[in-house]
């Protein structure tokens, strides 16, 4: 297996990987209103918009490959990154067009919680980490996360509404910094800073 950055050619595989890994994710089910018809299409459109934005902004990615098969991937936003306002607005417009305008206020709630992380300017953000369901349970998520941690000397922060994912991150040395119960999918904020603690 090989670790390497994702390329534009990997976009379809990356989107399929995320869609399969996050189809039952509580946060996405709440964000994109799973109770309304067309959830799978909205999830696909949301992930496509996010991945295209991440790629066009030149933000870091890391994939775990077996030959040309993408088994797992991570998307990271460095601590120092400042979004370009026009690109950020275009992303919001695309999400609203393809996923519904109700998504943007829900996203705003998630962003407001994420901004409460202590030392927010010091930590890179682990946006997504996904492992193909076909190879889950084989330690690939841990292997990929360790590689991401090695590339984030100032630490990482993330949030998740999935208790199983939160437990995984805690086993890898992340500590909770907060809990947001204001949404129907409560969010747990976690951070990692080497052998130290998030303060």
């Amino acid at each position: 297996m090989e670790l390497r950055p994702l390329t534009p050619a990997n976009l379809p595989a990356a989107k399929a990987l995320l869609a399969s890994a996050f189809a039952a994710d509580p946060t996405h089910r709440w964000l994109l209103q799973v109770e309304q018809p067309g959830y799978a299409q909205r999830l696909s459109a949301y992930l496509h918009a996010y991945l295209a934005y991440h790629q066009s902004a030149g933000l870091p990615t890391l994939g775990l490959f077996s030959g040309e098969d993408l088994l797992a991937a991570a998307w990271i936003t460095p601590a120092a990154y400042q979004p370009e306002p026009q690109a950020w607005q275009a992303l919001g417009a695309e999400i609203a067009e393809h996923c519904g305008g109700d998504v943007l206020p829900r996203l705003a709630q998630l962003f407001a919680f994420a901004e409460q992380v202590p030392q927010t300017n010091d930590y890179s953000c682990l946006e997504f980490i996904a492992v193909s369901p076909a190879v889950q349970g084989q330690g690939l998520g841990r292997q990929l996360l360790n590689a991401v941690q090695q590339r984030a000397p100032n630490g990482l922060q993330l949030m998740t509404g999935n208790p199983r994912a939160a437990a995984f991150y805690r086993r890898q040395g992340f500590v909770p910094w907060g809990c947001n119960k204001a949404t129907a999918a409560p969010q747990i904020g976690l951070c990692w800073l080497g052998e130290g603690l998030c303060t």
Side-chain angles (χ1 to χ4, degrees):
M1 282 184 278
E2 180 186 5
L3 284 163
R4 62 178 189 262
L6 301 177
T7 69
N10 300 132
L11 184 60
K15 180 177 153 185
L17 172 66
L18 276 177
S20 63
F22 284 90
D25 177 69
T27 301
H28 289 87
R29 290 170 66 85
W30 166 76
L31 177 66
L32 300 168
Q33 299 174 295
V34 68
E35 69 278 3
Q36 300 294 329
Y39 169 72
Q41 291 82 3
R42 289 191 300 279
L43 178 61
S44 178
Y46 175 79
L47 293 175
H48 179 83
Y50 171 80
L51 293 178
Y53 171 82
H54 197 93
Q55 178 183 304
S56 67
L59 297 172
T61 58
L62 191 60
L64 183 60
F65 291 83
S66 176
E68 292 305 311
D69 293 332
L70 180 62
L71 304 180
W75 289 261
I76 306 104
T77 298
Y81 175 72
Q82 292 294 323
E84 198 279 319
Q86 287 182 326
W88 192 245
Q89 290 169 1
L91 173 62
E94 183 176 353
I95 290 172
E97 178 182 353
H98 297 288
C99 303
D102 292 345
V103 174
L104 297 184
R106 293 177 181 223
L107 273 174
Q109 291 181 51
L110 296 179
F111 291 146
F113 174 59
E115 290 172 358
Q116 296 173 28
V117 62
Q119 301 178 358
T120 185
N121 293 328
D122 296 335
Y123 300 128
S124 294
C125 181
L126 181 57
E127 302 282 354
F128 286 114
I129 189 168
V131 179
S132 170
V135 293
Q136 287 180 4
Q138 299 180 23
L140 300 185
R142 184 177 66 251
Q143 180 181 345
L144 180 59
L145 180 58
N146 288 343
V148 171
Q149 289 171 308
Q150 292 171 13
R151 291 162 171 79
N154 292 330
L156 290 167
Q157 64 97 357
L158 61 91
M159 60 183 185
T160 180
N162 186 331
R164 185 177 171 207
F168 165 76
Y169 290 117
R170 292 184 78 158
R171 290 194 300 272
Q172 307 311 313
F174 284 71
V175 293
W177 57 261
C179 182
N180 177 19
K181 297 182 179 178
T183 66
Q187 300 295 302
I188 300 169
L190 299 117
C191 61
W192 170 84
L193 186 58
E195 298 299 319
L197 296 178
C198 177
T199 57

